[in-house]
Amino acid sequence: MSDPDDILPPLYPIPLGVRVKGDWFPFYHKRFRDSEFAATVDFAAGFLAIRLWAASAEQDPPGTLPDDDRQLAQLAGLGRDVESWRKYREAGALDGFEPVTCADDVCEIVRLGHPVVAEVMCEVVRRMDEWKRRSQEGASRRKRSRLREVMTKHCGAHAGLTQRDEFVDAVQDWLDARGLEKRPAHVREAMQAVSLTMDGAGARIAGIARAKRLSSPD
């Protein structure tokens, strides 16, 4: 008896639950212009194909489509005219789309995926993740800069201390954990607590190192 996993379609590269934000994705016009699809597809079916590529970008996961003619007719802009949709589907409006397995940590479903559209959507997701990472890093830098200013101007911290990113980040984490704003009184309290913690950790490390030196043979 065959394992059920053996009959599942290929795994789609983007997991369920990922959504693309915005209204843009790259369109490789030369690649499209010179493709066999562009050279041979029925004009009307080709137009609907492009509509479906665009519609697939908003699906979950992006780049896939439901394998259901009623839903596909809607996404193609034909409303409830499923009969016309089936005619255009036969003429190539769904060219290149094949069943794929879309999965997350808890479930698997079968949808339609296109290798080129999937490639484009993977690039969009990569750019989206990179933008999010840069945005978070920028926000962290701005947060750290504002906290350094409070520490220096209002809390008497010396430059050597405020230039230690791990110390500034620990102070910020202490404030965030307690829902406190960067008011001088709060920042001073946080600095004191973090200093005690770091000094204690340093003392423990120094003690361990000293014990090793004493126990090691000459």
Side-chain angles (χ1 to χ4, degrees), residues 20-82:
V20 169
K21 297 179 181 179
D23 59 355
W24 172 90
F25 63 83
F27 182 77
Y28 299 102
H29 58 280
K30 291 183 179 179
R31 187 175 180 179
F32 172 74
R33 181 196 65 196
D34 298 336
S35 68
E36 182 180 355
F37 172 79
T40 59
V41 72
D42 172 80
F43 282 175
F47 173 74
L48 295 185
I50 295 173
R51 283 189 62 105
L52 288 172
W53 300 345
S56 74
E58 300 177 349
Q59 297 287 299
D60 179 10
T64 65
L65 292 168
D67 192 7
D68 179 274
D69 282 332
R70 289 184 177 83
Q71 294 181 63
L72 289 168
Q74 291 279 351
L75 292 172
L78 297 174
R80 298 183 180 182
D81 191 354
V82 178

Side-chain angles (χ1 to χ4, degrees), residues 110-123:
V110 176
R111 290 173 61 83
L112 297 177
H114 190 295
V116 177
V117 177
E119 179 185 335
V120 171
M121 289 299 111
C122 284
E123 174 65 12

Side-chain angles (χ1 to χ4, degrees), residues 146-163:
R146 290 193 294 269
L147 181 54
R148 280 193 175 112
E149 185 177 359
V150 174
M151 291 167 67
T152 303
K153 292 184 177 180
H154 304 288
C155 300
H158 57 81
L161 189 62
T162 59
Q163 291 307 310

Side-chain angles (χ1 to χ4, degrees), residues 9 13 64 74 89 99 104 112 115 159 161 175 180 183 191 200 208 211:
T64 65
Q74 291 279 351
R89 180 173 183 163
D104 59 14
L112 297 177
L161 189 62
L175 293 169
L180 298 176
R183 295 177 180 173
M191 288 171 58
I208 292 170

Side-chain angles (χ1 to χ4, degrees), residues 89-149:
R89 180 173 183 163
E90 289 296 320
L94 213 57
D95 185 76
F97 278 91
E98 298 288 345
V100 293
T101 301
C102 302
D104 59 14
D105 293 337
V106 296
C107 70
E108 296 174 335
I109 60 173
V110 176
R111 290 173 61 83
L112 297 177
H114 190 295
V116 177
V117 177
E119 179 185 335
V120 171
M121 289 299 111
C122 284
E123 174 65 12
V124 171
V125 171
R126 185 194 68 78
R127 293 188 188 189
M128 186 174 68
D129 289 343
E130 178 66 14
W131 178 86
K132 182 178 180 181
R133 182 188 66 80
R134 290 185 179 182
S135 178
Q136 289 174 340
E137 287 179 352
S140 295
R141 284 194 299 269
R142 291 189 294 272
K143 233 172 149 180
R144 190 183 291 152
S145 177
R146 290 193 294 269
L147 181 54
R148 280 193 175 112
E149 185 177 359

